[in-house]
Amino acid sequence: MYSLLIDHLSTAVVQLNRELQIEYLNPAAEMLLAVSRRRIYGQDLEAAFREDGESINALAAAVESGYPFTKRETEIGLNNSKKLFCDYTVTPVMGTMNNTESLIIELYPRDRMKRISQEGELIANHQTSKELVRGLAHEIKNPLGGIRGAAQLISRAFKDEALNDYTQVIIEESDRLRDLVDRLLGPRQLPKNKALNIHRVIERVKQLTLVESDGQIEIIRDYDPSIPDIYGDEAQLIQAVLNVTRNAMQALLEDESNQQKQIRIATRALRQFTIGTKRHRLVCKISVIDNGPGIPAAILNSLFYPMVSGRPEGTGLGLSIAQSVIHQHHGIIECNSDQNNTEFNILMPIETAVQDQEKHL
């Protein structure tokens, strides 16, 4: 009866014997740790997850002392090479001789809460930067219009061609600054939404990337064909995905030590997934993963701000514009980066797109 109750818990439970060998996992633990319990019964704890030596010593001490303990916000290694950010509580189970017979470990994943908190911060920061750029653009474009107009009037008054060359420089530089401000503001037109296959968008991006890279980069496709059509602006989505992919391409092309430059583009359908603080029934996930040198830690948290770039010649506008486009589609772009592995995840709710389509019908 007790085993049946534990099997139906949503909390992940692992039972160890005195030698720290696995005696039992409930289904929630199987899913969380991505292991099969029947295959790892009787094996050491590392068959389920890996901890450092200090934590293993703490488990052994709990067996001897019989005292429970809790470890907060720790990162454990899984056998699929992934890491899990979690809390866990260790409770000794006492036997008839008042000795510890086994240990019960209850694991509480914190990844979801951490990701929701990070997404909320990312959305708030992006909104703040958008408002700042809009205000700055207004303050810049008004004087620019006056400078350009004055330069045109002066050029008409001058008969000397050499002096007109100077006024032409003023006009051209004013236009260049105006175009820069327009790019900072991102797409100004409303999305022209229609039903589209996201893989058609990615295939177009793939073609453009192969042409730009002159075939120096291998692009690996890993598509989920079950993803339904998305209702969105095809041109804007192509631009957003292209900006993310181009960022990966440029990092790879600048990495002379890498002889096997690869970008993997994967799509997945996620169910009951949270973006920001809102839970969605169905979400489309596009992952752009490269094996380049990684993003410097100093700019990782500000990567989507305008004018932030890790490349000397970069404008820092591509990712900011991509984030704005995906926000218009009720989604978000996230980034994780390590040496030889940078992953951008584009997340867009599918049911929101369907509801928008129904409103227009």
Side-chain angles (χ1 to χ4, degrees):
M1 181 62 183
Y2 293 133
S3 177
L4 183 63
L5 288 173
I6 295 174
D7 277 351
H8 283 79
L9 290 177
S10 59
T11 302
V13 177
V14 179
Q15 181 181 355
L16 306 179
N17 62 18
R18 287 181 58 88
E19 286 72 38
L20 303 184
Q21 295 171 329
I22 299 166
E23 289 189 335
Y24 170 79
L25 285 85
N26 70 345
E30 282 188 289
M31 292 184 62
L32 182 66
L33 302 175
V35 295
S36 169
R37 54 180 172 176
R38 299 189 185 279
R39 291 185 178 181
I40 64 172
Y41 280 169
Q43 298 186 39
D44 292 336
L45 177 61
E46 65 180 16
F49 63 87
R50 295 181 300 281
E51 264 282 41
D52 55 35
E54 184 180 345
S55 298
I56 297 298
N57 291 338
L59 291 172
V63 171
E64 297 300 324
S65 67
Y67 290 114
F69 71 90
T70 298
K71 191 170 182 182
R72 301 287 185 190
E73 298 185 355
T74 185
E75 195 173 66
I76 62 176
L78 305 183
N79 289 326
N80 58 6
S81 300
K82 294 185 178 180
K83 294 180 178 180
L84 178 67
F85 185 70
C86 68
D87 299 339
Y88 66 76
T89 298
V90 177
T91 306
V93 178
M94 309 307 290
T96 54
M97 302 296 293
N98 206 27
N99 292 325
T100 303
E101 282 192 352
S102 60
L103 295 179
I104 299 295
I105 303 177
E106 300 169 74
L107 297 112
Y108 308 95
R110 296 289 301 274
D111 294 74
R112 185 179 182 86
M113 297 304 298
K114 183 181 179 183
R115 187 183 58 78
I116 290 172
S117 175
Q118 289 175 336
E119 284 182 357
E121 184 179 351
L122 184 61
I123 291 171
N125 289 343
H126 185 72
Q127 189 62 36
T128 301
S129 68
K130 271 177 57 178
E131 294 300 325
L132 178 63
V133 168
R134 282 176 182 167
L136 185 62
H138 178 74
E139 294 300 323
I140 291 176
K141 290 185 79 171
N142 283 345
L144 273 182
I147 292 170
R148 191 183 192 282
Q152 286 178 319
L153 291 174
I154 292 172
S155 67
R156 293 172 188 169
F158 287 150
K159 296 182 180 179
D160 190 338
E161 288 296 327
L163 295 176
N164 280 333
D165 289 343
Y166 295 134
T167 57
Q168 190 60 36
V169 169
I170 296 173
I171 293 170
E172 290 174 358
E173 290 301 298
S174 297
D175 290 342
R176 187 177 67 83
L177 284 173
R178 181 200 60 205
D179 293 341
L180 176 62
V181 171
D182 287 341
R183 290 177 63 197
L184 277 169
L185 291 171
R188 290 183 293 174
Q189 68 275 17
L190 291 174
K192 299 176 182 178
N193 292 335
K194 63 178 182 179
L196 58 93
N197 187 324
I198 195 62
H199 297 124
R200 187 172 68 185
V201 169
I202 297 173
E203 283 296 300
R204 178 60 176 161
V205 170
K206 171 180 169 286
Q207 292 173 353
L208 293 171
T209 305
L210 287 174
V211 170
E212 287 189 35
S213 65
D214 196 22
Q216 298 180 59
I217 296 175
E218 178 187 7
I219 297 182
I220 302 169
R221 294 173 292 176
D222 181 9
Y223 295 165
D224 179 356
S226 70
I227 297 177
D229 284 354
I230 286 181
Y231 191 67
D233 187 307
E234 184 171 358
Q236 288 191 15
L237 287 176
I238 288 174
Q239 186 63 59
V241 179
L242 179 61
N243 285 359
V244 173
T245 309
R246 183 179 284 144
N247 186 76
M249 177 196 72
Q250 291 169 342
L252 286 169
L253 292 178
E254 292 173 1
D255 184 12
E256 297 179 359
S257 62
N258 189 345
Q259 301 302 315
Q260 293 184 327
K261 307 177 193 298
Q262 292 182 340
I263 296 176
R264 184 165 72 88
I265 305 178
T267 60
R268 294 292 184 269
L270 307 177
R271 300 184 183 279
Q272 301 302 327
F273 195 84
T274 303
I275 299 178
T277 57
K278 187 174 180 182
R279 190 178 183 88
H280 299 278
R281 183 178 58 84
L282 191 61
V283 165
C284 172
K285 177 182 177 183
I286 306 169
S287 298
V288 179
I289 307 162
D290 71 77
N291 63 344
I295 297 170
I299 67 169
L300 190 56
N301 292 331
S302 56
L303 196 60
F304 296 101
Y305 287 173
M307 312 304 291
V308 174
S309 176
R311 298 167 51 245
E313 67 278 11
T315 62
L317 295 178
L319 293 179
S320 176
I321 292 171
Q323 188 74 274
S324 295
V325 169
I326 299 303
H327 275 189
Q328 285 187 346
H329 290 78
H330 312 287
I332 194 170
I333 306 177
E334 301 174 337
C335 177
N336 298 298
S337 183
D338 295 307
Q339 183 70 24
N340 301 323
N341 185 74
T342 297
E343 180 174 346
F344 282 88
N345 291 315
I346 302 172
L347 302 162
M348 291 182 292
I350 293 176
E351 79 276 9
T352 303
V354 173
Q355 291 167 4
D356 287 349
Q357 183 182 22
E358 292 173 350
K359 289 178 183 178
H360 286 79
L361 294 178

